[in-house]
Amino acid sequence: MSSYLSILTQVIFPIILLIGVGVILHRRFQLDMNTLSKLIMYFFLPAMTFIAIYEASISLSLLKEVVIFLLLQLAVLHFLGKAVSKLLGLGEKSAASFNNSIILSNNGNIGIPVNDLAFRHDPLAMSVQMVVVLFEVVLAFTYGLFNASTASIGLKTSLITFVKLPIVYALVSGMLLHMFQVPLPSFVLIPLHTVANSMLAVALVSIGAQVARLGISRYSRMVLSSSLLRLVAAPLCAYVLLRLLNMNGVIAQALLICSALPTSRNSAALALEYGNEPEFAAQAVLASTLLSSLTLTFVIDLSTRLF
């Protein structure tokens, strides 16, 4: 019970509170969603991506083992999402947003504190978590970006748009500076940290503003399907893959928990930027976050029993 309450009070409730602030602000002031989208995509996300990769501390052997699992999981969820999209009869834009809501999970601001609570500051478990976080960052702005932009503006235009995005250069420069261990002066790192740390609040407020624009009943079938796939089907698939790969112990436990996290706010940011059912994407983030308060503790407990 104490673990359950800790996850609720320290992880889920603060997120819901910030989304609620976004709902209130939008209803009071009618926030400009286009401006919010541009701030997130061109300012906050590049800074967060750069800091996450530049300051990562991960061993090569752990990186290889975890990435193999994550790539297999991506393939399974991709085909699962495509199949369910067809069953639901979704159009191209709706399917793109639906698939991103299944594949992109919130392993950053939810996954890290959940890992810390579940494994009581275990460095191996946190190393696994950071590999997943980095993978999610890359995934969001490769697979997720192309998925969102291709449905909206076509493959050729999306490729041109992709190379113009600052997040691409933040990703590459972060990796290069990390690989060659290039130190950055404090007058560069301090503002980068300030912007990166603000990303969560701005993103969640923007999700709240999106939710405030439209009632959930219009997307209830899509939202429910997305949440079930993200919170139930994904960890089931992860369990099968972990068994097939013969992974056990803390690494397997951490990966199973990572697979059960709710939809990433980045899926909503991408949907908003490219006009792929942004209201659904925001509602998918909110619904899966709320429902994860019921499912996460169960998966955490199950991970210790299974592995």
Side-chain angles (χ1 to χ4, degrees):
M1 181 60 74
S2 60
S3 174
Y4 180 75
L5 289 175
S6 294
I7 292 171
L8 280 177
T9 57
Q10 297 180 35
V11 180
I12 304 298
F13 285 168
I15 290 170
I16 294 170
L17 179 62
L18 285 171
I19 291 174
V21 169
V23 171
I24 295 168
L25 288 175
H26 185 72
R27 288 182 176 173
R28 177 67 178 85
F29 301 109
Q30 293 297 301
L31 302 179
D32 187 331
M33 299 306 298
N34 185 56
T35 300
L36 277 175
S37 173
K38 293 295 185 287
L39 278 172
I40 292 168
M41 289 293 293
Y42 292 90
F43 185 57
F44 290 102
L45 278 174
M48 184 199 72
T49 301
F50 178 86
I51 288 296
I53 293 174
Y54 177 70
E55 296 186 343
S57 179
I58 301 158
S59 71
L60 189 60
S61 59
L62 178 64
L63 181 66
K64 180 181 177 181
E65 188 176 6
V66 174
V67 167
I68 289 172
F69 165 82
L70 293 172
L71 287 172
L72 289 173
Q73 180 180 245
L74 168 62
V76 172
L77 292 178
H78 170 79
F79 289 113
L80 185 61
K82 292 289 186 183
V84 175
S85 294
K86 288 185 178 180
L87 287 173
L88 293 174
L90 302 182
E92 190 176 7
K93 288 189 175 185
S94 296
S97 190
F98 183 79
N99 289 348
N100 275 351
S101 75
I102 296 166
I103 289 171
L104 304 180
S105 59
N106 202 339
N107 266 285
N109 60 288
I110 292 182
I112 291 173
V114 165
N115 181 286
D116 201 41
L117 283 169
F119 295 98
R120 303 180 186 278
H121 317 293
D122 186 314
L124 176 58
M126 188 53 70
S127 295
V128 172
Q129 184 64 44
M130 291 313 300
V131 173
V132 178
V133 170
L134 291 178
F135 183 86
E136 288 284 348
V137 170
V138 175
L139 184 65
F141 298 100
T142 51
Y143 174 91
L145 178 65
F146 276 107
N147 193 28
S149 60
T150 302
S152 178
I153 58 179
L155 180 59
K156 182 179 178 180
T157 308
S158 68
L159 286 170
I160 296 171
T161 303
F162 179 72
V163 298
K164 292 181 179 179
L165 287 174
I167 188 124
V168 176
Y169 303 99
L171 183 65
V172 173
S173 60
M175 290 176 67
L176 290 173
L177 292 175
H178 175 79
M179 286 170 58
F180 294 104
Q181 298 183 335
V182 178
L184 290 177
S186 58
F187 68 82
V188 173
L189 280 176
I190 289 173
L192 280 173
H193 274 288
T194 301
V195 177
N197 292 336
S198 303
M199 167 64 200
L200 173 61
V202 176
L204 292 177
V205 166
S206 74
I207 289 170
Q210 288 170 257
V211 170
R213 297 169 69 190
L214 194 66
I216 199 166
S217 59
R218 177 180 168 186
Y219 296 101
S220 57
R221 186 175 61 154
M222 285 175 64
V223 169
L224 180 59
S225 299
S226 169
S227 296
L228 286 173
L229 289 171
R230 177 67 256 150
L231 301 176
V232 179
L236 284 173
C237 293
Y239 172 72
V240 173
L241 289 173
L242 290 167
R243 285 303 187 196
L244 290 174
L245 294 171
N246 198 30
M247 299 176 74
N248 290 289
V250 170
I251 294 176
Q253 292 171 13
L255 288 174
L256 183 62
I257 293 169
C258 286
S259 71
L261 291 167
T263 299
S264 170
R265 63 186 183 273
N266 290 332
S267 65
L270 289 167
L272 178 62
E273 177 66 16
Y274 293 102
N276 295 332
E277 303 288 2
E279 291 85 4
F280 155 74
Q283 291 166 14
V285 173
L286 178 60
S288 65
T289 300
L290 288 170
L291 291 172
S292 70
S293 64
L294 303 174
T295 59
L296 261 177
T297 303
F298 175 74
V299 174
I300 290 169
D301 179 65
L302 199 60
S303 68
T304 60
R305 299 174 187 273
L306 296 175
F307 300 103

